[in-house]
Amino acid sequence: MNKNQLKYDTSEDYPNFKGHKSLLSKHLTDAMYKKLRDVTTSSGYTIDKAIQNGVDNSDFHLGLLAGDEETYTVFSDLFDPVIDEYHNGFKKTDNHKTDLDPSKLTGPDELDPKYVISSRIRTGRNVKGYCLSPFVCRSERRRIEKTVVEALNSLGGEFKGKYYSLLTLNEKDQQQLIDDHFLFDRPVSRHFTSGGMARDFPDGRGIWHNDVKNFLVWINEEDHTRIISMEMGGNMKRVFTRFCTGLTEVEKHIKSKGTGFMWNEHLGFILTCPSNLGTGVRCSVHVKVPYLAKDSRFESICTAMRLQKRGTSGEFTESVGGVYDISNLDRLGSSEVQQVQCVIDGVQTIINMEKALEKGESIDSLIPSSS
């Protein structure tokens, strides 16, 4: 914190939100800023640091980042209404649901591989006792790396694998990680740079994957860890089972060292961006539906089923060959099982629509009523 700031009235410090459309600009009033400006969390994180990402980028939808676990309580006057609006009315009195039991999934174990190309589930996890990426110091980041790598290297069986530090990565391993589409590069997006999450790169960053390359962990990207389970085809139940087992084993080791993952009953798993609170889960499939893609209702059909439609290579990309990335919209307020089930059920409906269109049949009876 710049201590000279205390010499000035908060009215002289209030951000210029002209042209902004973010939830931050909507909910941060002059009075609220006056109340919160000189408040800090125990690690020293301030409201100005929390909002910098949104102040710098007028086109961002959310505009807030947490710097530590306390951010969500110390600055709850601002974070609560933003979370409420972003997460479909999730109130400060509501509690999140956590459920990592894959046996509760229903429906087919495998979605039709003629249409589903690949399946993937990812989430973020942060280790208790350390600051989050916008505010973490070098020593913390290195300690997080050491803690998580020790946990991952303790895994056996299908999870036995290897860690690649981005600081010492050789040319051969780098090329292999690129070929496998596992490597994350130096952060250059405005989200990372304005948020302070690109500092010191590649120090303390790395990638771990198991030997069969279907369980992957990024260390110290946006969150302390990003954990991914994936495979070709449509067996989402198997992908989710591996995801749950791997997460449980990693946390078991981390807890044996006296810490654990950030979590509370209200918000579920604590992540850097409020958009990912709750499960942090993004359950996605690449599905090929060239006929449905031509229907102007495709987007609203997905939204009605609480699904998000993206292009082949993710957000802000176009579809190639009728292939779309379909994932769950919700993160907070529903459990991991519910969110994965939502994708399974929704993609099954999408496949049924595609089959009908292939035969020249109407899909009106299959369309959710709210679309």
Side-chain angles (χ1 to χ4, degrees), residues 11 22 31 36 50 61 81 107 118 174 177 206 249 260 303 307 313 315 321 351:
S11 63
S22 66
L36 298 177
H61 175 54
S118 62
Q174 180 180 13
L177 290 169
E249 290 301 312
T303 303
L307 298 175
S313 298
E315 197 168 15
I351 291 171

Side-chain angles (χ1 to χ4, degrees), residues 306-324:
R306 301 307 299 158
L307 298 175
Q308 181 177 37
K309 175 177 70 71
R310 295 179 174 182
T312 306
S313 298
E315 197 168 15
F316 308 124
T317 67
E318 296 298 319
S319 168
V320 177
V323 175
Y324 287 86

Side-chain angles (χ1 to χ4, degrees), residues 29-223:
T29 64
D30 291 325
M32 186 185 295
Y33 184 73
K34 182 176 183 178
K35 177 182 177 181
L36 298 177
R37 189 197 68 175
D38 300 334
V39 176
T40 68
T41 64
S42 57
S43 72
Y45 198 62
T46 64
I47 194 65
D48 278 314
K49 289 186 180 297
I51 67 176
Q52 195 64 56
N53 181 268
V55 172
D56 289 348
N57 298 283
S58 61
D59 57 332
F60 280 15
H61 175 54
L62 210 152
L64 286 172
L65 293 171
D68 55 25
E69 193 168 5
E70 289 181 21
T71 300
Y72 289 103
T73 51
V74 172
F75 303 119
S76 61
D77 285 358
L78 174 59
F79 276 79
D80 281 349
V82 169
I83 290 168
D84 183 329
E85 184 164 347
Y86 186 89
H87 289 283
N88 305 302
F90 188 85
K91 306 298 182 187
K92 60 183 179 181
T93 53
D94 291 338
N95 281 339
H96 178 68
K97 306 169 185 176
T98 297
D99 189 348
L100 289 161
D101 183 356
S103 70
K104 295 179 181 177
L105 291 178
T106 61
D109 286 349
E110 185 166 16
L111 295 161
D112 193 333
K114 178 184 175 182
Y115 301 92
V116 176
I117 298 166
S118 62
S119 304
R120 181 176 184 230
I121 302 176
R122 65 90 166 145
T123 192
R125 291 288 189 270
N126 291 302
V127 182
K128 291 182 70 68
Y130 301 101
C131 287
L132 298 172
S133 59
F135 200 50
V136 69
C137 62
R138 285 182 287 273
S139 53
E140 284 182 302
R141 194 186 294 113
R142 292 165 186 165
R143 186 66 61 88
I144 293 162
E145 179 188 32
K146 181 175 185 292
T147 299
V148 175
V149 170
E150 285 178 354
L152 292 167
N153 286 341
S154 74
L155 302 179
E158 69 170 314
F159 295 103
K160 181 179 178 294
K162 181 179 178 180
Y163 179 62
Y164 301 85
S165 165
L166 296 192
L167 194 62
T168 60
L169 193 63
N170 63 48
E171 190 173 322
K172 179 183 176 183
D173 288 338
Q174 180 180 13
Q175 188 58 53
Q176 186 60 57
L177 290 169
I178 291 171
D179 292 344
D180 291 331
H181 305 287
F182 288 173
L183 187 67
F184 66 90
D185 297 321
R186 176 184 294 276
V188 294
S189 72
R190 291 176 292 145
H191 175 63
F192 275 87
T193 54
S194 292
M197 297 180 285
R199 293 170 297 121
D200 308 313
F201 190 89
D203 194 348
R205 275 81 165 192
I207 297 160
W208 181 96
H209 65 74
N210 64 346
D211 292 342
V212 292
K213 300 183 179 181
N214 58 16
F215 191 74
L216 169 73
V217 181
W218 287 355
I219 297 179
N220 286 320
E221 195 231 14
E222 180 173 319
D223 290 294

Side-chain angles (χ1 to χ4, degrees), residues 219-260:
I219 297 179
N220 286 320
E221 195 231 14
E222 180 173 319
D223 290 294
H224 296 167
T225 64
R226 174 163 289 187
I227 300 166
I228 306 164
S229 175
M230 59 201 167
E231 63 182 63
M232 300 305 291
N235 197 323
M236 186 58 79
K237 186 170 185 179
R238 186 165 59 208
V239 172
F240 187 49
T241 299
R242 184 188 311 117
F243 173 83
C244 296
T245 303
L247 271 176
T248 300
E249 290 301 312
V250 171
E251 184 169 28
K252 186 187 301 181
H253 183 90
I254 289 175
K255 282 184 174 179
S256 75
K257 301 299 180 181
T259 184

